[in-house]
Amino acid sequence: MGFSALVASALCTFLLPLLLFLAAVRLWDLYCASGRDPSCPLPLPPGTMGLPFFGETLQMVLQRRKFLQMKRRKYGFIYKTHLFGRPTVRVMGAENVRHILLGEHRLVSVQWPASVRTILGSGCLSNLHNGQHKHRKKVIMRAFSRDALQHYVPVIQEEVSACLAQWLGAGPCLLVYPEVKRLMFRIAMRILLGFQPRQAGPDSEQQLVEAFEEMIRNLFSLPIDVPFSGLYRGLRARNIIHAKIEENIRAKMARKEPESGYKDALQLLMEHTQGNGEQLNMQELKESATELLFGGHETTASAATSLIAFLGLHHDVLQKVRKELQVKGLLSGPNQEKQLDMEVLEQLKYTGCVIKETLRLSPPVPGGFRIALKTLELNGYQIPKGWNVIYSICDTHDVADLFTDKDEFNPDRFMSPSPEDSSRFSFIPFGGGLRSCVGKEFAKVLLKIFTVELARSCDWQLLNGPPTMKTGPIVYPVDNLPAKFIGFNGQI
C-alpha cells in the first residue's frame, strides 16, 4: 500500500469521525442556543447542555449528588442543562421555587420524564392535569382524612411492633433499609389497597417487593424500549405489579364490602367510578394503585431509615423523645403498650420536630418536574416555553437562609416559631401548591408511630457510623445501614 493510500486510510479511520463528531457538537450547540425565546429580552440561565442527544443525563445518573453540587457551585440557584432528552432549567431557593409551585396550570404544568410517564401510566394522579387532577385528588384525599387516619393507627402500630420484635431477635447485624422497605410495603398494602400480605404468603410479598424495586430503579431511564434497556426492565416489573393489583381489584368487586371495617384508597376510587355511572377503567385503577404503593412505601421507608440513622448518631435527641413519651405516659409502666390514637400523636410536639428535621436534612424526594407553558421570567433569566423545569427540594433546604448551622441535626429549631410558617417555601419535603403530596398527613402519622415504637422498645448501634446517602430516585443509604438492635431497658 502506497503512502497516499495510508494517508487516505488514516483520514477515513480517524479524521473523518472526529470531524463528524465536532460537527455534531456544533449542531447541538446551535440547537440548544435556538431554544431561546427572541421575544423575551432576558438571557437563558447559565449552564451547559452536554453531549448530543444524551445531554448530561449520564453524568447526572452516575454522579448524582456530586454532579448537582458542582452545578450549584458553578452556576448558582438557576441553571440550564439537558436531561432525559429535554432542555431543562434546574431551580432552587425559596423564592424561585415559590414562583414555580404557585404557577401550576398558569406558568407551568407537571411533566415527568418520558420514562416515568410510560412506566407509571397516564391514568395516575401525577400525570393528570387541571380538572381531572383536582377531581381525582379530591377522591383520594378522602382516604387521608383525620377519621380515616384514626382507623389506620392501630394497623400501623400492629405492623411496626411486630417488625421491631423481629429486629430485636435478628442477631448482631441487621440491614435496616431493606427491612424498613418491607415493613412500609406491608403497611401500604394493607391501608392503601386493602391487601393482606401475610395471607398471600411471604413468597408473594417478596415477589412484589422485588418487582417494585426493579420498577423504581428504572423509572428515570432513557426513553428507549428495547430488550435489556432500563425502560424495558421497568415496564416488565410494572406488569408483574399490575397483575397482582388486578387480582385484588377483582376480589374487591366480588366482595363488595371491605373486610377491614374501613375503606382504603383503592376502594374509594372504585366506588367513585361506579357511583358516577362511569365504566370501571381497570388500567387507570391499576396505575393509580401502583402510584399509591410507590408513594406510600418508598418515601416513608427512606424517611424512616434516615430517622434511625439520625437518632442512632444523636443519642441526646433520642433521650429527649423518650422524655416526651414519659411525660405522656407512653414510655414505661402499665401504659407502655397503650394503644395510640390521633389525639395522643398530635400532642407529641418534639417527636414531630425530630421528623421535620429528618425531612429537612434528608428529604426522600429530591425534587419535582414541570414544563413551562409559556416563556417565563425568573430572577433575571428566561425559561422558554416547552422547556422542562426541575425544582429542587434538597438544594432549597441546603441554601435556605432561614436555617442556621444547616448541617447540624437540631430538632429544636422547629419548636417555636416553626420556620415553615415564617417562610413555607424554605421547607418543602412534601412539595407545595396544588401538587403538594396527597399523602403527607398519612406519612406524618406513620413516621410518628414508627418513632414512638422505636424509641420505647429499642436501642441500636450503627455498625458503619454515619451513612453515605445516594439518590436513585429516592434517597437511601449506600450500605443499607447495618445496625445492631437490642431491647430498651426503660431507663432515660
Side-chain angles (χ1 to χ4, degrees):
M1 183 182 292
F3 177 74
S4 58
L6 285 173
V7 171
S9 177
L11 286 173
C12 291
T13 304
F14 301 108
L15 188 58
L16 186 59
L18 178 61
L19 289 172
L20 289 172
F21 174 75
L22 293 174
V25 169
R26 179 57 182 159
L27 288 171
W28 178 252
D29 289 340
L30 290 172
Y31 160 74
C32 294
S34 69
R36 182 183 176 279
D37 185 344
S39 68
C40 178
L42 297 178
L44 289 169
T48 54
M49 305 297 269
L51 297 171
F53 179 71
F54 293 103
E56 297 184 314
T57 304
L58 294 178
Q59 296 100 302
M60 200 274 287
V61 170
L62 294 174
Q63 299 177 333
R64 193 67 197 194
R65 182 163 292 195
K66 181 180 177 182
F67 172 79
L68 296 177
Q69 288 174 342
M70 178 273 292
K71 288 284 188 180
R72 189 175 86 194
R73 284 195 302 269
K74 191 169 183 179
Y75 300 116
F77 290 4
I78 304 176
Y79 59 83
K80 70 184 179 202
T81 178
H82 200 282
L83 298 173
F84 306 108
R86 301 278 302 176
T88 300
V89 173
R90 199 162 187 272
V91 172
M92 66 198 76
E95 281 306 304
N96 294 329
V97 168
R98 180 187 65 80
H99 197 71
I100 298 300
L101 291 179
L102 296 186
E104 188 73 31
H105 303 323
R106 180 173 52 87
L107 300 176
V108 298
S109 181
V110 68
Q111 179 159 299
W112 291 91
S115 60
V116 179
R117 299 198 305 273
T118 301
I119 291 172
L120 290 184
S122 59
C124 69
L125 184 67
S126 298
N127 290 327
L128 295 179
H129 297 275
N130 300 316
Q132 279 186 312
H133 174 265
K134 182 179 179 180
H135 191 61
R136 181 74 60 82
K137 185 174 183 179
K138 185 177 179 181
V139 175
I140 293 175
M141 285 296 292
R142 290 169 56 197
F144 301 120
S145 67
R146 193 178 187 280
D147 287 344
L149 292 174
Q150 178 61 60
H151 280 294
Y152 303 156
V153 170
V155 178
I156 297 170
Q157 192 174 6
E158 174 194 331
E159 289 288 351
V160 172
S161 297
C163 179
L164 294 179
Q166 292 178 351
W167 291 8
L168 292 174
C173 179
L174 178 130
L175 296 178
V176 170
Y177 181 55
E179 292 295 327
V180 171
K181 277 205 293 187
R182 277 190 280 272
L183 166 64
M184 296 303 173
F185 190 77
R186 282 196 299 273
I187 292 171
M189 290 275 280
R190 286 186 65 178
I191 286 175
L192 300 179
L193 304 187
F195 280 34
Q196 295 294 331
R198 287 192 174 89
Q199 292 179 12
D203 291 342
S204 180
E205 179 186 338
Q206 185 60 27
Q207 183 188 26
L208 269 175
V209 169
E210 290 173 359
F212 254 94
E213 289 178 355
E214 180 72 3
M215 184 188 80
I216 290 158
R217 267 196 303 271
N218 294 289
L219 265 182
F220 292 85
S221 307
L222 288 171
I224 305 170
D225 185 11
V226 296
F228 309 111
S229 69
L231 181 59
Y232 177 85
R233 293 195 299 271
L235 287 170
R236 188 173 59 181
R238 190 275 316 269
N239 291 339
I240 294 171
I241 297 163
H242 277 193
K244 291 288 184 182
I245 289 173
E246 184 169 345
E247 287 179 20
N248 184 257
I249 290 172
R250 296 198 181 282
K252 280 178 179 290
M253 292 168 66
R255 192 167 57 238
K256 302 295 183 185
E257 289 300 321
E259 294 178 339
S260 56
Y262 63 85
K263 293 179 180 179
D264 54 73
L266 181 58
Q267 186 77 34
L268 289 169
L269 279 172
M270 291 171 59
E271 287 183 2
H272 171 74
T273 56
Q274 292 166 329
N276 285 359
E278 301 171 17
Q279 185 176 358
L280 196 64
N281 187 322
M282 182 64 75
Q283 185 63 24
E284 286 186 358
L285 283 172
K286 289 190 291 187
E287 289 171 358
S288 293
T290 302
E291 182 184 35
L292 283 169
L293 270 183
F294 169 52
H297 93 277
E298 278 288 331
T299 53
T300 53
S302 170
T305 302
S306 294
L307 267 168
I308 292 173
F310 284 126
L311 291 176
L313 294 168
H314 300 275
H315 196 255
D316 58 319
V317 174
L318 177 58
Q319 292 296 76
K320 288 180 76 171
V321 170
R322 287 171 172 162
K323 184 67 176 176
E324 181 175 64
L325 298 181
Q326 185 180 58
V327 169
K328 300 298 180 184
L330 296 170
L331 189 61
S332 58
N335 289 331
Q336 169 69 46
E337 300 304 324
K338 176 181 172 181
Q339 290 292 314
L340 299 173
D341 58 33
M342 288 296 294
E343 185 177 354
V344 170
L345 291 171
E346 287 163 356
Q347 294 171 11
L348 300 176
K349 302 298 184 186
Y350 184 74
T351 303
C353 291
V354 171
I355 293 166
K356 287 180 182 178
E357 182 70 342
T358 298
L359 295 175
R360 182 186 73 84
L361 281 169
S362 188
V365 179
F369 285 78
R370 300 290 187 271
I371 186 171
L373 296 176
K374 60 182 179 181
T375 297
L376 57 105
E377 300 179 3
L378 188 64
N379 205 13
Y381 299 108
Q382 66 160 276
I383 302 177
K385 178 182 178 179
W387 280 39
N388 279 356
V389 181
I390 298 177
Y391 74 89
S392 173
I393 294 173
C394 52
D395 284 320
T396 296
H397 290 182
D398 285 349
V399 304
D401 293 332
L402 194 63
F403 303 120
T404 57
D405 301 318
K406 295 182 179 66
D407 295 334
E408 180 184 339
F409 184 74
N410 177 22
D412 286 289
R413 73 172 82 244
F414 282 97
M415 285 297 282
S416 181
S418 185
E420 69 269 31
D421 293 336
S422 305
S423 178
R424 61 191 173 112
F425 290 96
S426 292
F427 179 70
I428 49 169
F430 299 105
L434 296 174
R435 291 276 178 177
S436 62
C437 175
V438 68
K440 63 183 178 182
E441 296 305 321
F442 168 69
K444 291 175 186 176
V445 168
L446 173 52
L447 291 171
K448 194 171 271 192
I449 295 171
F450 180 78
T451 306
V452 169
E453 295 298 331
L454 183 71
R456 68 183 187 176
S457 62
C458 299
D459 270 317
W460 64 95
Q461 176 189 358
L462 304 182
L463 300 180
N464 288 352
T468 298
M469 305 302 284
K470 187 175 180 180
T471 304
I474 303 299
V475 172
Y476 68 97
V478 173
D479 64 357
N480 282 324
L481 201 68
K484 179 182 179 181
F485 285 80
I486 59 173
F488 170 55
N489 61 16
Q491 299 299 313
I492 299 180

